[in-house]
């Protein structure tokens, strides 16, 4: 039982402002057992104000630290993270149900990888540039508010905090109250690494209270949010009166276009696996598979076999899929699966209800629908569960049109053997990332979306720009006139 009832403000673990009667606690549920795994305190606007003021107080000194000082700090964070790696992986499995193999190889691994990437970028990043007699200077934007989700909890914390620390910003983090354990361990890591007081602060809480207080706070210079598009719109509205910078990484409904000359066993099987990983709880999952209509039967057979090979069960065992994060999410996913059935899609595998023998835990059957049309609900709405929709197309131009026919634009996927055609299709897709022939992740590649998938980019050197202002110093290189 984890009782994480304090907040980390100004370098200290402190009692919430409402500890003598005003603060509420919330249970954190282990989604595999439906049992209470711990508690966190829900903060208030007063807690947010204390944390923001601590970050503001720390900014003048931290923003002036040297590149070498910040390099040393990131190196210490990496060293401390490695000491706590197993703790981090176990916490992620417990709080959001990621299978232990996935928590270790991907979830926890991405947390430290983002710090390592920020360190690599920082060593050579150009904060100053001369153009004629003008010097362009990139300076830390100030106090940053980070609101992060539960699906890749420490990944989303690290890809915001690491570049912000690298460029000299101070910050306040509000992790998801659904999966807050990893954020607590992350904070312990930063404290052990000697992050100066006030530079990093943690306040737990919900979106309507702590999230709104952060995004509207006049002393916050930018807010970075990852989550649903609906919540991202609220963040932007709250931030608007203070004209602060807003960075958002939001929803997705990514198309996966498989061309006629692709290796279908590899492309279809890999597409199914990508959707099912993390129990479908990834915003960039290729949840719309687009295939030539004439090959639909072949695709159905491959997809059915691939989906049925994905075992579901105890995340501490050998299962490929654990549970989804909560009862709320389970109910939402079940409703959308039923919509697919009701609207006439062909149910290839899975379907409504829990897998046999898994009555306890928020488990979802790996589900594949075929003969889906673009107007069906499961082709339009982000399901955020292990559910794949297969759509047919009659030509490449139609495939591209269907692929772009979405309010989202986070990612897209293309598979085929003709390199020129694959690249040509990629050039027509309106998405922030396009993955060709199952290419693996690139931590230096910018990550973010077009349209209602958000604003701005994370990862690599592009992430640094989100936390920097540009100052032009005119006359910097001009010779001083003799008196």
């Amino acid at each position: 039982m984890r009782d994480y009832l304090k907040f980390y403000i100004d370098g200290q673990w402190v009692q919430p402002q409402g500890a003598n009667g005003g603060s509420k606690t919330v249970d954190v549920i282990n989604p595999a057992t439906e049992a209470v795994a711990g508690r966190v305190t829900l903060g208030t606007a007063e807690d947010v104000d204390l944390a923001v003021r601590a970050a503001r107080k720390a900014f003048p000194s931290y923003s002036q630290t040297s590149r070498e000082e910040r390099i040393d700090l990131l190196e210490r964070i990496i060293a401390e993270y490695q000491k706590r790696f197993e703790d981090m992986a176990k916490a992620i499995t417990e709080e959001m149900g990621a299978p232990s193999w996935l928590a270790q190889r991907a979830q926890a691994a991405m947390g430290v990888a983002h710090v390592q990437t920020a360190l690599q970028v920082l060593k050579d990043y150009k904060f100053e540039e001369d153009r004629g007699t003008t010097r362009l200077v990139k300076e830390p934007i100030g106090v940053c508010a980070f609101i992060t989700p539960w699906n890749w909890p420490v990944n989303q914390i690290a890809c915001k905090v690491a570049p912000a620390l690298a460029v000299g910003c101070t910050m306040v983090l509000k992790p998801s109250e659904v999966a807050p354990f990893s954020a607590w361990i992350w904070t312990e890591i930063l404290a052990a690494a000697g992050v100066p007081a006030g530079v990093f602060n943690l306040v737990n809480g919900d979106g309507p209270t702590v999230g709104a207080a952060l995004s509207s706070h006049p002393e916050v210079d930018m807010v970075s949010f990852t989550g649903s598009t609906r919540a991202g719109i609220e963040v932007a509205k709250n931030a608007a009166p203070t004209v602060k910078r807003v960075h958002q990484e939001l929803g997705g409904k990514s198309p996966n276009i498989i061309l006629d000359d692709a290796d279908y066993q590899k492309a279809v099987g890999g597409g199914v696996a990508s959707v099912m990983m993390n129990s479908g709880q990834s915003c960039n999952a290729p949840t719309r598979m687009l295939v030539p209509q004439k090959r639909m039967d072949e695709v159905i057979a491959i997809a059915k076999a691939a989906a049925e090979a994905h075992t579901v069960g105890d995340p501490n065992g050998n299962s490929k899929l654990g549970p989804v994060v909560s009862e709320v999410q389970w109910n939402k996913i079940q409703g959308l699966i039923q919509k697919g059935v009701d609207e006439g899609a062909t149910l290839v595998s899975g379907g409504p209800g829990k897998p046999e023998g898994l009555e306890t835990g928020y488990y979802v059957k790996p589900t594949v629908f075929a003969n889906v049309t673009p107007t069906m609900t499961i082709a339009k709405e982000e399901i955020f569960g292990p559910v794949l929709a297969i759509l047919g197309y009659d030509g490449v131009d139609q495939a591209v049109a269907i692929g772009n026919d979405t309010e989202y634009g986070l990612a897209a996927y293309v598979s085929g053997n003709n390199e020129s055609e694959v690249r040509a299709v990629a050039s027509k897709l309106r998405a922030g990332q396009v993955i060709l022939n199952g290419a693996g992740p690139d931590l230096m590649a910018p990550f973010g979306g077009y349209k209602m998938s958000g604003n701005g980019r994370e990862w690599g050197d592009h992430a640094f720009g989100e936390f920097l202002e540009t100052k032009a110093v005119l006359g910097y290189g001009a010779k001083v006139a003799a008196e």
Side-chain angles (χ1 to χ4, degrees), residues 303-318:
K304 179 179 175 63
E308 291 177 352
H310 281 73
T311 53
V312 185
D314 182 358
N316 291 302
N318 297 318

Side-chain angles (χ1 to χ4, degrees), residues 94 101 109 122 137 147 153 171 223 252 262 277 282 284-285 296 315 318 324 336 351 383 397 431 439 453 466:
E94 188 176 1
W101 66 266
L122 177 58
V137 183
I147 303 170
M171 64 212 71
V223 57
M277 190 180 71
S282 298
N284 61 341
M296 181 64 74
N318 297 318
V324 295
L336 287 165
I383 298 173
D397 288 344
S453 285
E466 298 297 327

Side-chain angles (χ1 to χ4, degrees), residues 24 39 103 163 176 238 242-243 281 303 328 375 385 420 429 441:
K24 297 179 181 179
R39 296 183 301 158
S176 168
N238 291 330
T242 50
V243 199
Q281 299 169 126
V328 169
T375 59
S420 296
L429 292 169

